[in-house]
Amino acid sequence: ARADFDRAFARIDAAPIRSLAWDSFLIDAHALAVLRRLMADPAVRFGAAYLPGLDILRRRLIERTPVDGPVSDLVGASDALEAYARWLSGRIRTVALEEAERLVVVGDPGRSADGRAEGFVAIVGAGAKPACVAADAVRPVDVAPMVLRAVGFPRSEEMGGDGDGGGCLVGEAANPPVVASFGRRSVRD
C-alpha cells in the first residue's frame, strides 16, 4: 500500500498534506481490496464499495488551508486532490471493470450538503448507454431500486424512487418486470 501511495502522490512534498492523503488513501484502498477479493469469487454476482476518501480529504484540506494563506498551501492542496482523483479513477477502473459486467457510480452530495445539493449517477457496461451520466439528479431514495434494476432484479412496487438510472439503463434493465413486493423475510426459531 505504501509503494502504491508513494507512486500516486510523488509530487506532493508537504508532510501535513501527505499525511491527510495517506489517511484517505488507506480507507479507499482497503474498501477496493475487499471488493476485488469479493468479486473474484464466481458465485458473487454483485459487489459494492463505499469510497469516502476523496470527500474526506477535500473536507480536511479545506479546514486546514485558509483561502488567504500562502499560495503554496493552496497549490499543494489542489495537487493532492488531483492526485487522489487520478489514483481513485485508475483504481476503480482496475478493480471494478476487470471484475464486473457493469459499474454504477453514485455521487452522493454528502451529509453536510444543503437541500439544493444534488447527487449524480454514471453507469458503464452491460445494460447501460455507453458512458452514460444521468441527466437528472439522483435522490437517495432512487439509488437502491436503480442498482437492483441494473443487476437484473425486477422493479418492486414497494420501493420508493424511480430507479430508472436517469435514463442510462437500456434493454431489459430499462423495462424490468414489476412485482408487488420482494416479500418479508421470516424469522426462524
Side-chain angles (χ1 to χ4, degrees):
R2 180 54 82 172
D4 190 19
F5 175 82
D6 287 341
R7 276 190 302 278
F9 295 89
R11 290 183 42 215
I12 310 304
D13 294 326
I17 292 176
R18 284 182 69 84
S19 178
L20 294 176
W22 173 248
D23 290 347
S24 289
F25 174 89
L26 285 177
I27 292 166
D28 286 351
H30 176 72
L32 288 167
V34 170
L35 178 63
R36 178 175 231 166
R37 186 170 181 180
L38 177 71
M39 296 307 294
D41 183 337
V44 174
R45 294 190 56 221
F46 174 79
Y50 174 55
L51 305 170
L54 182 59
D55 190 47
I56 291 169
L57 179 59
R58 183 186 62 82
R59 297 286 305 165
R60 291 176 78 190
L61 286 170
I62 287 170
E63 290 168 4
R64 76 164 296 281
T65 311
V67 176
D68 58 351
V71 172
S72 60
D73 287 355
L74 293 171
V75 170
S78 176
D79 287 347
L81 290 172
E82 182 181 335
Y84 198 93
R86 191 173 25 257
W87 169 80
L88 186 59
S89 175
R91 183 53 58 133
I92 288 171
R93 190 175 300 113
T94 300
V95 172
L97 293 180
E98 285 179 0
E99 307 292 340
E101 292 179 17
R102 80 192 53 78
L103 173 65
V104 178
V105 177
V106 178
D108 185 324
R111 291 186 198 106
S112 61
D114 63 25
R116 298 176 310 232
E118 299 177 342
F120 74 91
V121 63
I123 303 174
V124 178
K129 292 178 183 173
C132 186
V133 176
D136 298 327
V138 175
R139 302 169 301 156
V141 72
D142 297 329
V143 174
M146 176 195 57
V147 171
L148 288 171
R149 187 183 285 188
V151 297
F153 278 81
R155 186 173 65 81
S156 171
E157 291 178 340
E158 69 187 346
M159 295 185 87
D162 56 28
D164 70 354
C168 287
L169 298 175
V170 295
E172 290 181 25
N175 298 302
V178 178
V179 296
S181 171
F182 288 132
R184 296 192 177 270
R185 296 182 70 174
S186 61
V187 178
R188 293 185 179 172
D189 292 334

